[in-house]
Amino acid sequence: MQSSNFDKQTNKQTNKQTNKQTNKRKSNIELLRIISMLMIVFHHFGVHGGFEWKASNITIQYLWCNLIVIGGKIGVDIFVLISGYFLITSQGEIFNLKKILKLWGQIIFYSLGIVVIFVLIGNHNYNVKILIKSVFPIIFSSWWFASAYFVLYIIHPFLNIFLNMLSKKNYQTFLMLLIIMWSVIPTITTSEFQSNSLGWFLTLYAIAGYARLYGFNKIYTTKKYFILCLIFFALTYSSSLMFVVLGARWSVFFNHATYFYGMEKLPTLLISLTLFMGFVTLKIDYHKWINTLASATFGVYLIHDNNIVRPFLWIDVFQNFKYQNSLFLIPYSILVVIFVYMICTFIDLIRQRIFEKPFMFIVNKYADNIVKSFVKMCNVLKKIMFG
């Protein structure tokens, strides 16, 4: 009898440990988050560094910058693909105020915090307009990605209902329509075809949702996905180099050297999707340090690409433009990007511990009552509007 009780207790402990391991998110996708954010930071180093390139003077430094900026929109696409992959199966309530406020809290923390810090140190002028924008960063698109992503996050439960109701065949048809309208046509014609950032995010969400629910062709292994990604990357970069060569004679080509780098362009979509699927099929167990670093990736973005921080970082502090004609630009860019990434990660991990925990304690305490009040208000409005 004692032995039986001991076995039961042992089994309970084993089951608890197994459940904990099961609930822990594997680190393959989390590693991809880190890589994607590094690509985005490299992109911003090249785009916002104050460089002035000329078609008549193509240098190794220019070719390097042309190479690192390709990762920016790839990183953006991958972040949305990751969200769609995980959120498509979420079966929670339609309006999860706790998660929404958690996301909003992180955005507002950096929006207000950065303004306050720069005003206090005298590096930024204060006025009512700046204050209003910093209080409502999502409405005024202080970060374009954050605003579009926030809206996507709010409406994703309704997307899930729609996408999960589709048959596999209809889902495939729906995806083909979205890709043709908002990727193929814009790539060929330069027209956005009534799309915008949010419309493109919806497309990526649907693509990732299909990957999670049904998967793609099983003949594609991790190795094949990575090979395809390298091929698409090489072709995209080669097309840019061809534009650069032609731009030496016709400036219009040089001015559009990064045309295929756009987040909705078909080459970028193919690179993003194959890289994403490569990591989805990659077998990496749970590693706490990877997941911890990955939890700060959105914070890295909010800090380093803030409208106030951006010129201060790349122009004032690191003065990227000074290395335009120096071969040291390549190692310098690598060191700077890693340094910026590490500092921003450190800051966000501190924010999570010191500010987010007490904030979420308050949210968890009062969110349910707020939601109930909100639902009552919506029901009253429904009766007024629809009878």
Side-chain angles (χ1 to χ4, degrees):
M1 186 71 178
Q2 289 178 347
S3 177
S4 178
N5 288 335
F6 176 77
D7 289 340
K8 286 180 180 179
Q9 289 178 350
T10 304
N11 289 334
K12 284 181 180 180
Q13 290 177 351
T14 302
N15 289 334
K16 285 181 179 179
Q17 291 175 352
T18 303
N19 290 334
K20 285 182 180 179
Q21 290 295 330
T22 303
N23 292 331
K24 288 178 179 177
R25 185 175 289 182
K26 291 184 178 180
S27 297
N28 53 339
I29 301 298
E30 302 311 300
L31 179 59
L32 180 59
R33 286 187 203 273
I34 297 171
I35 294 171
S36 298
M37 185 51 64
L38 277 170
M39 290 194 295
I40 290 172
V41 180
F42 266 112
H43 171 85
H44 291 151
F45 178 96
V47 171
H48 302 305
F51 300 110
E52 295 181 0
W53 307 107
K54 296 180 180 179
S56 58
N57 186 26
I58 304 304
T59 61
I60 293 175
Q61 293 87 334
Y62 169 77
L63 297 178
W64 169 252
C65 274
N66 186 273
L67 175 68
I68 64 176
V69 299
I70 193 175
K73 301 308 179 184
I74 294 171
V76 168
D77 283 0
I78 287 175
F79 267 100
V80 182
L81 287 170
I82 291 173
S83 296
Y85 187 79
F86 285 118
L87 292 176
I88 188 66
T89 56
S90 61
Q91 301 296 327
E93 61 267 35
I94 291 296
F95 190 72
N96 192 325
L97 184 63
K98 294 176 183 178
K99 291 185 177 180
I100 292 172
L101 285 177
K102 184 178 180 180
L103 177 60
W104 174 85
Q106 186 178 13
I107 296 171
I108 198 72
F109 174 85
Y110 286 117
S111 179
L112 278 172
I114 290 172
V115 168
V116 170
I117 290 173
F118 274 78
V119 168
L120 289 176
I121 64 176
N123 276 32
H124 194 68
N125 295 324
Y126 165 81
N127 57 52
V128 176
K129 185 178 180 180
I130 291 172
L131 177 62
I132 293 174
K133 285 187 175 182
S134 62
V135 173
F136 302 100
I138 296 170
I139 294 175
F140 291 102
S141 297
S142 296
W143 297 271
W144 72 268
F145 175 85
S147 293
Y149 182 80
F150 189 83
V151 175
L152 176 68
Y153 191 83
I154 289 177
I155 66 175
H156 87 268
F158 301 97
L159 292 177
N160 288 352
I161 294 171
F162 168 69
L163 294 174
N164 281 281
M165 285 177 60
L166 294 174
S167 67
K168 185 177 180 180
K169 186 176 180 180
N170 286 338
Y171 201 146
Q172 291 171 349
T173 303
F174 180 63
L175 281 185
M176 293 305 298
L177 285 173
L178 291 178
I179 293 171
I180 290 171
M181 289 191 300
W182 291 345
S183 183
V184 176
I185 291 177
T187 302
I188 296 173
T189 66
T190 74
S191 171
E192 292 183 354
F193 196 61
Q194 304 304 314
S195 180
N196 52 29
S197 298
L198 180 59
W200 180 239
F201 282 12
L202 295 175
T203 302
L204 293 171
Y205 188 98
I207 293 171
Y210 183 88
R212 180 68 180 272
L213 296 175
Y214 302 107
F216 294 112
N217 197 318
K218 293 182 179 180
I219 66 169
Y220 295 112
T221 60
T222 302
K223 183 179 179 180
K224 287 183 178 179
Y225 275 124
F226 284 143
I227 291 174
L228 283 172
C229 179
L230 287 174
I231 292 172
F232 292 140
F233 185 92
L235 290 173
T236 304
Y237 183 60
S238 297
S239 70
S240 179
L241 295 182
M242 181 182 69
F243 276 37
V244 169
V245 172
L246 293 173
R249 184 164 184 177
W250 299 286
S251 60
V252 64
F253 286 101
F254 183 81
N255 295 334
H256 293 85
T258 59
Y259 174 75
F260 292 116
Y261 293 5
M263 65 179 179
E264 79 288 355
K265 298 300 188 291
L266 188 60
T268 299
L269 174 61
L270 292 173
I271 297 170
S272 304
L273 186 56
T274 49
L275 182 60
F276 171 71
M277 290 305 301
F279 274 89
V280 166
T281 56
L282 183 66
K283 294 183 179 179
I284 300 179
D285 292 328
Y286 170 80
H287 293 278
K288 184 178 179 180
W289 69 272
I290 293 178
N291 290 32
T292 300
L293 292 177
S295 70
T297 49
F298 191 51
V300 172
Y301 165 73
L302 293 175
I303 297 169
H304 90 275
D305 203 43
N306 176 272
N307 290 330
I308 301 172
V309 175
R310 187 189 303 142
F312 174 76
L313 193 65
W314 305 124
I315 304 299
D316 298 337
V317 177
F318 294 111
Q319 300 181 332
N320 300 1
F321 58 91
K322 285 190 175 181
Y323 297 87
Q324 179 168 323
N325 298 315
S326 170
L327 289 176
F328 189 59
L329 175 66
I330 296 175
Y332 182 73
S333 64
I334 295 172
L335 291 172
V336 166
V337 166
I338 292 175
F339 178 77
V340 168
Y341 189 93
M342 290 175 61
I343 294 298
C344 292
T345 297
F346 180 70
I347 293 171
D348 194 66
L349 291 177
I350 292 176
R351 178 201 62 84
Q352 291 178 30
R353 182 175 290 272
I354 297 177
F355 296 97
E356 188 171 83
K357 284 188 176 182
F359 174 73
M360 289 309 298
F361 175 80
I362 297 171
V363 168
N364 291 331
K365 188 174 181 179
Y366 297 105
D368 291 337
N369 291 331
I370 295 173
V371 170
K372 288 178 182 177
S373 301
F374 178 76
V375 170
K376 288 181 180 178
M377 183 181 70
C378 287
N379 289 334
V380 171
L381 291 174
K382 287 177 184 177
K383 289 181 179 180
I384 294 173
M385 293 176 65
F386 306 112

